[in-house]
């Protein structure tokens, strides 16, 4: 590069002698830097290099809509025939995963795509994509990541047998209604068993996404490593998607609130390694967000702190405040 690179808040991002590779490009994108000047080698491109756009919404939107349409077909088939076709699952999910893979997108942007009002369908697509990315972040091969994604995509297929009136109820469910909803796991297993082996990632994901590390989950009350890796991945992405998304009886929560809750659960009911990897990869999405501190002051997150995800560097007016050095200060909420 020709010179040191700084973000819009004046913080140093990369040195002039840094080599431009995938890691440095990712860092530049995280700080919303889209243009830099580089020193060329004889066979290099022109000096001005424009970084790739993070996401091409039209192409991903088409794949997203196609996935929703595929889920509609799968839910109808499950209700009418008691089974689903694997080819429809593959054709509905794989193009979406491929479109995100090519775009090098941050998976949380999935939640900002335009979609239908059907919570169950949107949630299923989100859980599938989040599971796909989480598996990749954990270092698993592409084939495993696709299996994790497909497992998330159909993890709630048993909801096709739940009374729609219960699913759309705008108030808290009664104990009886909640018990009825919990049966979606067993219904899903019954549906999927006609297509997939019992030990397949798809079956394990559907059967175990409500199991918890401390044995507090259902339907079998499995503990620790009794739960498959796929089941543990889906437990994290299922909770995240449910909390971050608006429903008839629940307003969406901001990203910081949800990540803090996942962090808390990682000490009891969620796999700690899987959860911390998930949090670490979503924390950069807080960069540039306006936050309010408990003392009433407002500022902007300019740098994340990887030793304490929830105590970043904040700019308040012309002052930089490192929350990791001020234990008396903490973030109340994310404003924008």
């Amino acid at each position: 590069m020709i010179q040191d690179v700084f973000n819009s808040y004046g913080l140093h991002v990369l040195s002039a002698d840094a080599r431009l590779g995938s890691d440095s490009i990712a860092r530049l994108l995280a700080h919303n830097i889209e243009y830099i000047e580089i020193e060329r080698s004889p066979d290099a491109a022109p000096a001005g290099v424009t970084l790739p756009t993070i996401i091409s919404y039209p192409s991903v939107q088409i794949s997203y809509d196609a996935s929703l349409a595929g889920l509609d077909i799968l839910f109808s088939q499950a209700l009418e025939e008691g089974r689903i076709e694997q080819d429809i699952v593959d054709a509905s999910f794989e193009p979406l995963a491929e479109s995100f893979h090519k775009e090098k997108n941050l998976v949380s942007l999935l939640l900002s795509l335009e979609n239908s009002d059907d919570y169950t369908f949107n949630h299923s697509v989100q859980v599938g994509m989040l599971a796909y990315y989480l598996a990749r972040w954990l270092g698993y091969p592409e084939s495993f990541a696709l299996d994790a994604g497909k497992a998330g995509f159909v993890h709630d297929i048993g909801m096709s047998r739940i009374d729609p009136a219960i699913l759309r109820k705008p108030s808290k469910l009664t104990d009886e209604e909640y018990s009825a909803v919990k049966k979606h796991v067993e219904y899903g297993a019954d549906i999927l068993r006609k297509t997939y082996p019992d030990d397949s990632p798809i079956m394990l994901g559907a059967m175990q996404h409500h199991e918890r590390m401390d044995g507090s989950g259902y339907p079998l009350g499995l503990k620790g490593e009794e739960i498959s890796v796929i089941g543990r991945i889906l437990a994290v992405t299922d909770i995240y998607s449910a909390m971050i998304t608006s429903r008839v009886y629940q307003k969406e929560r901001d990203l910081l609130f949800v990540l803090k809750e996942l962090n808390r659960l990682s000490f009891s009911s969620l796999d700690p390694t899987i959860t911390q990897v998930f949090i670490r990869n979503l924390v950069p999405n807080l960069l540039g967000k306006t936050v309010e501190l408990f003392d009433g002051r407002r500022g902007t997150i300019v740098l994340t702190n990887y030793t304490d995800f929830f105590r970043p560097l904040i700019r308040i007016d012309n002052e930089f405040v490192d929350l990791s050095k001020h234990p008396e200060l903490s973030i109340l909420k994310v404003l924008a």
Side-chain angles (χ1 to χ4, degrees):
M1 284 175 285
I2 303 297
Q3 58 190 1
D4 288 354
V5 178
F6 298 84
N7 69 12
S8 59
Y9 304 108
L11 292 175
H12 187 257
V13 178
L14 287 177
S15 299
D17 59 353
R19 294 181 64 85
L20 193 61
S22 58
D23 290 343
S24 54
I25 289 175
R27 189 170 183 182
L28 292 166
L29 289 174
H31 286 269
N32 296 316
I33 297 169
E34 296 186 355
Y35 186 90
I36 57 173
E37 293 286 328
I38 65 171
E39 183 178 356
R40 290 178 292 172
S41 61
D43 58 347
V49 174
T50 300
L51 296 173
T53 301
I54 290 180
I55 182 170
S56 174
Y57 281 100
S59 62
V60 177
Q61 183 70 63
I62 291 171
S63 297
Y64 186 85
D65 290 344
S67 293
L68 290 173
L71 270 176
D72 194 3
I73 294 171
L74 290 169
F75 268 66
S76 295
Q77 188 177 46
L79 186 59
E80 295 170 8
E81 303 175 23
R83 57 180 294 278
I84 61 173
E85 292 181 28
Q86 182 175 344
D87 288 347
I88 298 177
V89 175
D90 295 345
S92 300
F93 182 80
E94 289 180 4
L96 180 62
E98 179 64 21
S99 68
F100 270 83
H101 184 63
K102 288 188 297 185
E103 297 289 351
K104 308 297 183 185
N105 175 54
L106 296 174
V107 72
S108 64
L109 291 181
L110 173 68
L111 305 183
S112 66
L113 289 170
E114 295 179 8
N115 49 53
S116 71
D117 293 329
D118 193 302
Y119 166 79
T120 300
F121 288 2
N122 288 317
H123 173 69
S124 295
V125 176
Q126 290 167 10
V127 172
M129 284 308 307
L130 290 164
Y132 169 76
Y133 266 81
L134 180 49
R136 289 181 58 196
W137 292 334
L138 287 164
Y140 288 102
E142 179 72 7
S143 59
F144 182 93
L146 278 173
D147 282 342
K150 292 173 188 176
F153 187 63
V154 298
H155 79 291
D156 269 350
I157 194 69
M159 288 291 188
S160 60
R161 294 185 183 176
I162 304 299
D163 184 351
I166 295 178
L167 298 179
R168 296 195 206 95
K169 185 179 178 181
S171 57
K172 185 178 179 179
L173 300 181
T174 65
D175 290 344
E176 183 179 356
E177 290 168 336
Y178 181 58
S179 295
V181 170
K182 288 172 67 174
K183 290 182 180 178
H184 79 276
V185 174
E186 298 165 56
Y187 295 152
D190 180 57
I191 292 166
L192 294 172
R193 193 168 284 119
K194 297 180 175 69
T195 304
Y196 299 97
D198 280 354
D199 61 350
S200 72
I202 309 298
M203 277 292 297
L204 291 173
M207 277 294 297
Q208 298 177 356
H209 67 278
H210 281 293
E211 300 289 358
R212 298 293 181 257
M213 297 293 286
D214 57 5
S216 63
Y218 65 89
L220 300 178
L222 302 179
K223 290 184 178 181
E225 294 189 3
E226 292 176 345
I227 308 169
S228 68
V229 173
I230 291 283
R232 283 177 268 162
I233 286 175
L234 292 195
V236 174
T237 60
D238 180 52
I239 290 175
Y240 174 86
S241 176
M243 293 184 69
I244 208 76
T245 307
S246 177
R247 286 182 271 179
V248 289
Y249 56 87
Q250 171 190 292
K251 291 183 179 180
E252 63 187 77
R253 279 82 162 225
D254 68 58
L255 179 61
L256 184 65
F257 177 94
V258 175
L259 294 183
K260 281 185 174 181
E261 180 63 12
L262 288 176
N263 184 64
R264 183 185 70 80
L265 294 174
S266 73
F267 294 97
S268 56
S269 57
L270 297 179
D271 183 290
T273 300
I274 290 174
T275 308
Q276 293 303 317
V277 167
F278 185 73
I279 292 172
R280 184 168 66 246
N281 280 275
L282 287 189
V283 159
N285 291 289
L286 291 169
L287 286 172
K289 297 291 186 182
T290 300
V291 297
E292 181 179 335
L293 302 183
F294 272 94
D295 64 6
R297 289 185 295 169
R298 295 184 178 186
T300 303
I301 296 176
V302 295
L303 192 66
T304 54
N305 177 8
Y306 281 92
T307 60
D308 189 338
F309 299 136
F310 307 115
R311 307 195 69 81
L313 181 68
I314 296 177
R315 189 187 72 172
I316 302 175
D317 297 325
N318 294 320
E319 176 188 7
F320 290 99
V321 179
D322 186 349
L323 295 186
S324 68
K325 298 179 180 179
H326 293 275
E328 77 281 5
L329 298 176
S330 60
I331 297 172
L332 172 63
K333 58 184 175 181
V334 176
L335 301 174

